[in-house]
Amino acid sequence: MRAKFRIALLLALSLVMIITLAACGGSKEDKSASSDQPAQTGTKTDEGAAQETSPYKDKYDPPVTITTVWGVDPALKFKNGETIENNVATKWAQDTLGIDIQSLWSVTNTNNAYATKLRLAMTSGQELPDVLVVGNEDAQLIQDLIDSGAFQDAGALFDKYANEKWKTAMDLDKNVWNPYLREGKRMAIPILDYAYNNDYLLWIRQDWLDKLNMAAPTTIDELEKVMEAFKNNNPSGLSPDKVIPLSIGFKSSMNTWMGDPSWLFGAYGTIPQQWNVGADGKLEYGSINPAVKQGLAKLNEWYTKGFIPKEAALWDENKTSEPAVAGTAGIIPGPYWMSGWPLQDTAKNDPNAVWKPISLPTGPDGKAGRHGTPFSNGVILINKDMKNPEALFTYENYMFDNIADPQPGGPFENGLFKGYDYDVDASGNPVYGDENVQGGVVNAVRYLLVRDGARIPDAQMKALLGLANGKEATTRMEKDLKNNFGKETPAAAKVLMGQPNISFMNMYTGPSTETMQTKLDYLKKIEMQTFNEIIYGEKPADAIDKFVETWKSSGGDKMTEEVNAWYANLNK
Amino acid sequence: MTHLKKYWPLHLMVLPSLLFLIAFSYLPMGGIVMAFQNFKPRLGITGSEWVGLDNFRFLFEREDSIQVIWNTLLIAMLKIIFNLIAPFTFAIFLNEVRKELFKRYVQTMVYLPHFLSWVLLGGILLNVLSTDGGFVNRILESVGFDAIPFLMDGSWFRFTVVASDIWKEFGYGAIVFLAALSNVNPSLYEAAEVDGASRLKQTLHITIPAMLPITIVVGTLALGNVLNAGFDQIFNLYNPLVYDSGDILDTFVYRTGIIGGNMGFATAIGLFKSVISMVLIFISYRAAYKWANYRIF
């Protein structure tokens, strides 16, 4: 009996020991990850150094390290056995700027994998990188990251270290900082994008129009006649059930970029799934505007007539481009740069295909509308424990000076990296395209620390309009636009800028409100469900009234109040 | 003490898995407190505000929560039932096959899908089941049926989800049953043959009774999954048109917890699921003991 008791005691004791050991191990790790001590000493030395000379240098010797993480686009290609962690761009940064970019982890970004991993890393207290780049597609995540308290006042660093070119670009739209303000501090640096980059227009098969002897449609009614002809009297001889006159999809959203249906609602006076300024000057959620009913009824009619894909509800953006590229679609909504990708590939399937950009058609009251593109497409977050925050500015200042709009004679006049996005032929002239660059072209600009390197919002449109008006291409951007963006791109930019006042941005860019946190998912769910059911004819268009009622009473009204409180505060 | 001296290698052998269990199953249980908090990563578990049962209340206050729970239960129950029947029947049939090579070939072929991920299968199913030129619908149309919207119609969606899950898992599930069958003493069959029992009678009176205990084990353990309708699968296949019949607790947790950043709520649902599962396992274990006189643990 005694012996048994002793064995049991021994077992229990060893169990306790194991638990304590495991717990100790855990807490030790926690300490090293979250302890402020090394960071404090780091800042101190920095401050000490700053008193003597600024830590900012154009090149660091010995090299400094910036850690980061990557969500790699599954379509991004690498060559020469390179990876996102180790490639021509990281080598370049090491050699030219003395900055060693190290990645803590990387993940192929499908099904929100990057956002999910970041969110888990944040919640479980894993080490966060020095520099974190997050796109606006994960807007809520950006807000949560800022609120996590792991990142520092980026605005102050920006004022201190950013160069004139970057600051001027940032000043083009004062609103870009708005979403990231916390008690007057700018907690993240917005990544600037080309203005109008995701504004869309309609791409139409001009060769079909020509064969049918029809003019480009300017109203919804005319558009219907064109779609009818594309389907039932197809100029390429396709049978009606093989043609998709208008390739759109709305698996995830009615407000997206390629294959986007939101312009149809725009023709009736609203843009769904974003906050618009209403008639009374207050913000209003677009999907509850009465105009939505007409838009949905129209989509239902088009579905019944076979103008839109049968499985549009299952189609995401990339899927909508498939029939366009296959030569079986007549019209696809999309950004002005689509002539380069993906529409360029149509020629492989239908050599006679000619895609031309046209303006968005107007509705019965002459209205038209599309969603706008924010001047910023993401943020740079700077870890509060980062030892050398000035290094990030060395990198980005260089980008703005040399890569944002490289001038003739500069180090990047022909392209980013020779043998990657361009090559030089025997006579020393730059050549582009898969057939000219050995091993194929890779989009090396995506390897850079901050997405797309650096962009000055108005630069691209200026260059494109210049080209469209017959200016000779001299700078690299102009040449690049001319060579790599598809030959219709300047024309598309002109079409886009021909309708400058119909672009409506999402006016609410703040963090998610209290009601959004608990109700937004449900509201989104019933919205998508109702929209889809009406389009597919499972419910009459009047079902939208019921939805609006439910939406308002289930938290929508409260959300609108909160959003407007934020908006009013902003305009003070 | 003498016991420990004699059997210490055994204790040593169990130590790694014990450590593993503690580190990955017991220690994280501390996180359960998040279910009762308005958890904010910046404040951590110690600093977040306590909200009592608010997270649970929120689950039942949502207008669609009953439907989501019902979807989860229905899909999970169908999966449990058919994932028991299909491998069971398949194992019996396969056991009757006398050609060893063919038997092995079939067995390998049917359990291969188990190793494919739903991300991959989701893409494949989307194409195969498309109403717009998908392989399955083209066959249906060529023999004169209408195309079936497998993924866009609510009731078909459930059918698709359950059927594709069975297709993926039944081969793998059959392994345990086949193992049970290989343990049946051949002399029983010989004796039955001498007594003039037909093959059908042999199956009914020897094969099936021999498989019953393992069936009860598998069935009982599966009951713990009654609120797991299969996140990977549904997430890769669903769309707004089938929210009514396809939205389950896990997809709902994903959208609010992971995408919406509401960790406390996600934990609350997780806890809710675990408690229900535990109760069900407990009940079925008791039932198995009482009526089938079978102890698992």
Side-chain angles (χ1 to χ4, degrees), chain A residues 119 147 311 521 525 529, chain B residues 42 64 244 247 255 258:
Chain A
R119 206 171 260 293
D147 287 333
E311 297 193 322
D521 178 60
K525 182 175 155 180
Q529 198 173 354
Chain B
R42 126 189 80 119
D64 56 344
D244 262 350
D247 197 18
R255 290 197 313 265
I258 306 290

Side-chain angles (χ1 to χ4, degrees), chain A residues 316-378:
Chain A
D316 62 11
E317 293 82 1
N318 286 326
K319 182 83 186 168
T320 61
S321 72
E322 281 175 21
V325 172
T328 57
I331 302 167
I332 180 168
Y336 67 89
W337 42 259
M338 265 179 75
S339 143
W341 178 90
L343 295 182
Q344 212 162 29
D345 290 338
T346 315
K348 289 178 193 160
N349 301 307
D350 184 349
N352 301 319
V354 180
W355 286 102
K356 286 273 185 205
I358 59 168
S359 305
L360 292 175
T362 53
D365 307 330
K367 283 184 196 159
R370 60 171 182 254
H371 69 69
T373 313
F375 274 32
S376 135
N377 67 13

Side-chain angles (χ1 to χ4, degrees), chain A residues 7 10 15 18 111-112 119 123 147-148 251 310-311 314 518 521-522 525 528-529 532 536 554, chain B residues 1 4 15 19 39 42 58 62-64 130-131 235-236 239-240 243-244 247 255 258-259 261 263:
Chain A
I7 290 169
L10 200 71
L15 197 71
I18 290 164
N111 260 343
N112 293 328
R119 206 171 260 293
T123 319
D147 287 333
S148 76
K251 179 178 181 179
K310 262 192 226 163
E311 297 193 322
L314 303 178
T518 52
D521 178 60
Y522 176 67
K525 182 175 155 180
M528 282 309 282
Q529 198 173 354
N532 276 282
Y536 278 86
S554 307
Chain B
M1 209 60 208
L4 199 63
L15 196 67
L19 278 174
F39 182 76
R42 126 189 80 119
F58 171 45
R62 257 183 76 135
E63 287 81 345
D64 56 344
S130 162
T131 51
F235 179 63
N236 283 297
N239 60 76
Y243 273 165
D244 262 350
D247 197 18
R255 290 197 313 265
I258 306 290
I259 298 294
M263 295 290 168

